[in-house]
Amino acid sequence: MTDKKAILIVEDERRIARFLQIELEHEGFATSIEENGTRAYECILQGDFDLILLDVMLPGMDGMEICRKVREISQVPIIMLTAKDEVEDKVRGLELGADDYMTKPFAIQELIARIHNALRKHQKMDDPLQGEKLTVKDLVMYPSRYEVTVGGEEVQLTKKEYSLLEYMLRNKRTVLTRDQILQEVWGYDYTGDTNVVDVYIRYLRAKIDDRFQKKYIYTVRGVGYVVKD
Ligand code: CA
């Protein structure tokens, strides 16, 4: 079956995560488990999940923060799970855009009912994330929307910078020579200096690598450039 709904279980208590996995797979869902909050966030940005089950207390980024950041770019249904039976947490989670909330321990049948409900509700809305998505690490490009985000934060690029980045993302892990980049991004009839590629790589790095203090664009000395995870 390829039309299974995919659920990401973000939960650091293995016993609970495993229990959820068994029950949800029995119910016909495809599941993945992520125990670390920071990794879970990156996983959500890159993966194609239909729903997220999100624990609040996590190593790395906590569930509230994940929820807030995911909501900046995606309407994927989120059900928060927490051990804390605190109204404050519940209100905060819902304010941050979670669809629903369950306090542990909960009856699995109730959770499954809420999952179906959240999926149904979501199906009725238009998913703004539909369409093509190009990614490297936590950088995401949506060509149909002409939009680039890093860790959920929008990056403003000029048309040329955007074209250059798009070409590199479409050839992720492939080392591209300056000539290849020139031909593809500037066109066959470009007669200017090949240094223009280096100049624009510098512009991109300032807006992406430097700003977010992570390496996205690698120089392969004597050959060219590559983006890779
Ligand atoms: Ca936890």
Side-chain angles (χ1 to χ4, degrees):
M1 266 176 77
T2 52
D3 59 347
K4 277 187 181 180
K5 296 283 184 191
I7 298 181
L8 178 66
I9 301 165
V10 185
E11 169 63 80
D12 60 322
E13 281 170 74
R14 275 188 199 179
R15 194 178 45 83
I16 297 178
R18 188 71 192 124
F19 166 72
L20 287 171
Q21 181 161 57
I22 290 165
E23 292 291 337
L24 294 178
E25 294 202 341
H26 180 72
E27 186 66 19
F29 295 108
T31 63
S32 318
I33 295 176
E34 182 51 69
E35 298 174 8
N36 176 281
T38 311
R39 281 203 305 271
Y41 173 63
E42 280 166 13
C43 201
I44 295 167
L45 292 188
Q46 286 172 16
D48 203 5
F49 296 102
D50 296 296
L51 185 138
I52 316 292
L53 288 181
L54 187 56
D55 183 28
V56 175
M57 304 290 280
L58 292 165
M61 201 184 290
D62 75 34
M64 296 289 182
E65 182 71 4
I66 294 172
C67 184
R68 187 183 66 74
K69 294 184 74 150
V70 169
R71 272 296 170 265
E72 289 171 358
I73 57 152
S74 165
Q75 291 305 316
V76 62
I78 297 175
I79 298 179
M80 307 282 296
L81 307 174
T82 184
K84 284 199 252 163
D85 184 13
E86 288 177 1
V87 178
E88 213 175 276
D89 264 7
K90 177 173 176 173
V91 170
R92 188 150 170 252
L94 295 175
E95 270 175 8
L96 291 175
D99 295 81
D100 210 338
Y101 192 93
M102 291 212 73
T103 304
K104 290 184 266 187
F106 47 76
I108 187 70
Q109 284 312 323
E110 186 181 354
L111 177 64
I112 287 171
R114 288 185 185 212
I115 288 173
H116 283 301
N117 191 34
L119 287 171
R120 254 196 317 274
K121 249 177 22 194
H122 185 70
Q123 252 170 11
K124 291 184 190 158
M125 305 188 315
D126 271 344
D127 187 349
L129 278 191
Q130 258 172 19
E132 194 183 12
K133 185 165 95 172
L134 304 170
T135 65
V136 59
K137 294 177 178 156
D138 57 347
L139 183 151
V140 189
M141 173 181 279
Y142 306 98
S144 63
R145 284 149 50 189
Y146 202 75
E147 196 178 293
V148 178
T149 61
V150 175
E153 267 184 74
E154 205 172 322
V155 179
Q156 302 290 338
L157 298 178
T158 64
K159 198 167 180 297
K160 214 38 125 188
E161 290 163 356
Y162 184 93
S163 304
L164 172 59
L165 182 60
E166 182 178 4
Y167 176 55
M168 296 187 79
L169 286 172
R170 287 192 189 284
N171 293 279
K172 194 159 99 172
R173 289 186 296 274
T174 304
V175 179
L176 301 166
T177 65
R178 287 175 182 77
D179 283 339
Q180 279 176 312
I181 294 172
L182 264 186
Q183 288 193 350
E184 283 299 321
V185 179
W186 275 266
Y188 286 91
D189 52 352
Y190 180 80
T191 51
D193 198 332
T194 57
N195 277 341
V196 73
V197 173
D198 303 296
V199 171
Y200 272 82
I201 290 282
R202 266 208 302 283
Y203 292 161
L204 272 183
R205 279 182 169 149
K207 290 185 175 181
I208 298 168
D209 298 47
D210 297 350
R211 176 172 161 204
F212 296 97
Q213 303 193 334
K214 214 184 265 186
K215 212 165 167 54
Y216 300 90
I217 302 167
Y218 293 81
T219 303
V220 181
R221 225 161 275 287
V223 187
Y225 299 102
V226 59
V227 296
K228 58 186 180 182
D229 287 308

